Amino acid sequence: MNTNSLTASLLSQLQGPGVQQVSQQLGLDQNQATQAVSAALPLLMGALGSNASQPQGAQSLLNALQKDHLGGGGGGGFDLGGILGAVLGGGGGGTATNGAGILGHVFGGQTDQAAQVLGNKTGLDSGRAGQLLAILAPIVMSFLAQRFAQQGNANDLGQALGAEAPPAAAGGIGSLLNAFDQDGDGQFGVGDVFKMLNR
């Protein structure tokens, strides 16, 4: 993955205050939160990339982004503070901030497995790993909406997410994660994420 990837771009925006808010919400220290977010984002982006590669997948995703995640900002850019505040505050963001609902679409019934795998990789219990995914899912969707929904081009969205998806998009969440393996140890871990970001 290169440093211009969607994952790297969003991760750089989350550094600092964003990660700090997540760490407070989950009761983690800053380092733990940074590592957990760094592992969770590629999992979410990879799963979205896998979905977007299916027939009509990119168009369906684009429709959802346009309908639920553009917000009323009228092209004001990606409002990380606003979306994070709405997600953590449990505010009335409706579908746009319903992390659990978004995860259901992204992982297609494998949300618990995804949380478990993320927990195994980061040392979080699966409850907190699931919470983290539910916090990040609306942020990822809002980020993608600001990047792609206004132009309304499903091909651009599909190609960009395709670059985030593992080469073999088949198989379960485990194979999804292992396809991100950068250091050849047969597993995806935080070390792999930093290798991807620093390449």
Side-chain angles (χ1 to χ4, degrees), residues 148-166:
F148 299 101
Q150 282 148 332
Q151 290 76 26
N153 187 328
N155 286 339
D156 288 352
L157 175 63
Q159 282 178 346
L161 281 171
E164 312 287 321

Side-chain angles (χ1 to χ4, degrees), residues 10 13-14 17-18 21 69-88 96-97 135-136 138-147 150:
L10 179 53
Q13 292 189 49
L14 275 167
Q21 285 179 267
H69 298 281
L70 258 180
F78 174 54
D79 177 16
L80 175 60
I83 187 84
L84 197 54
V87 172
L88 296 180
T97 56
I135 290 169
L136 291 177
I139 293 170
V140 168
M141 295 295 275
S142 175
F143 173 74
L144 292 175
Q146 291 300 339
R147 285 282 184 109
Q150 282 148 332

Side-chain angles (χ1 to χ4, degrees), residues 110-182:
Q110 288 187 293
T111 305
D112 290 347
Q113 292 94 313
Q116 204 167 3
V117 171
L118 180 62
N120 290 343
K121 303 302 176 201
T122 57
L124 297 181
D125 59 71
S126 59
R128 277 200 284 196
Q131 257 185 297
L132 175 63
L133 288 171
I135 290 169
L136 291 177
I139 293 170
V140 168
M141 295 295 275
S142 175
F143 173 74
L144 292 175
Q146 291 300 339
R147 285 282 184 109
F148 299 101
Q150 282 148 332
Q151 290 76 26
N153 187 328
N155 286 339
D156 288 352
L157 175 63
Q159 282 178 346
L161 281 171
E164 312 287 321
I173 298 300
S175 62
L176 182 79
L177 275 172
N178 289 338
F180 285 114
D181 178 26
Q182 300 286 307

